[in-house]
Each structure stands twice: as C-alpha cells, then as structure tokens.
Amino acid sequence: MIPRVTISPKAIEVVQQLQSKFGELMFHQSGGCCDGSQPMCFEKGDFIIGQSDVCLGIIQDCEFWMSLDQFEYWKHTQLLIDIAPGRGSSFSIEIPLGIRFLTKSRMFSEEEVLQLEPVKYLEE
C-alpha cells in the first residue's frame, strides 16, 4: 500500500524528541485562517477530532488527521511532513524549539492511486 502521508528523517528526530517529553502525539493538518496551512502537533487528545475529520495515516506512531473538506482538495497528493527553521503561527508543540512542521506534497501517479492506503474516519 502507498502511504498518503510520510515524514522526513529530520522531522522524525523532532517527533522523537517531543514524544520523549510529552508522550503520545497526534497531528492535524491546519486548513488555514489564523494558523496558516501547516501540520500541527499536539499531545494525543489535546486536539478534539470530529466527525468531519479523516485520518490519512500514521507517521512515527502519530495519527495524522485532516478535515474532510480539506482532504477533498488534497486526496490526489502524498504529503511529506518536514521541518523548517522559524516560529510558526500556531499552537503546535514544536514552536518553542524555534522550528515548525511544514507540509510538502506531490501528485500520486495513476498507478499509485490504485494502491493507496484507505483513510480512517472517526469511530462512533
């Protein structure tokens, strides 16, 4: 199966550092507005997932969620979670480290589309 979301080696190091401090984590891809359009990292359970969110996959033992409306725009792309220097404008827990997570994307090939991991919806 082709993953819908992946993570860079540098971002893995940051996630491991955060996991050692905070425990279980989760990601939610912001849809814009106040916090821009960046992946945000939270302690698991600190961001409330709703019926309008979908889980694209697991990166470094962290669920990666996005709103269903936003997923409709991104469903043809593979996301790569990376890091960049500088403070992001969000509530993401990596901000005090002087870095921010960011999302890079690429279009899936026609062959890859047939092999994609399914998304997961919030269980009722």
Side-chain angles (χ1 to χ4, degrees), residues 13-63:
E13 290 176 17
V14 173
V15 169
Q16 289 173 334
Q17 180 181 355
L18 294 170
Q19 287 169 324
S20 69
K21 182 174 182 178
F22 297 104
E24 287 187 86
L25 305 175
M26 62 171 290
F27 281 89
H28 190 275
Q29 175 68 42
S30 170
C33 185
C34 305
D35 49 359
S37 181
Q38 66 187 53
M40 294 189 294
C41 184
F42 299 98
E43 290 182 60
K44 190 169 184 173
D46 276 0
F47 184 89
I48 306 302
I49 299 300
Q51 295 295 325
S52 63
D53 292 307
V54 294
C55 182
L56 276 62
I58 308 291
I59 54 171
Q60 197 57 34
D61 298 323
C62 305
E63 292 179 339

Side-chain angles (χ1 to χ4, degrees), residues 26 28-29 47-56 64-71 119-123:
M26 62 171 290
H28 190 275
Q29 175 68 42
F47 184 89
I48 306 302
I49 299 300
Q51 295 295 325
S52 63
D53 292 307
V54 294
C55 182
L56 276 62
F64 190 95
W65 293 85
M66 175 184 288
S67 74
L68 185 56
D69 291 343
Q70 188 174 6
F71 176 66
V119 296
K120 178 178 107 178
Y121 298 87
L122 187 64
E123 297 175 18

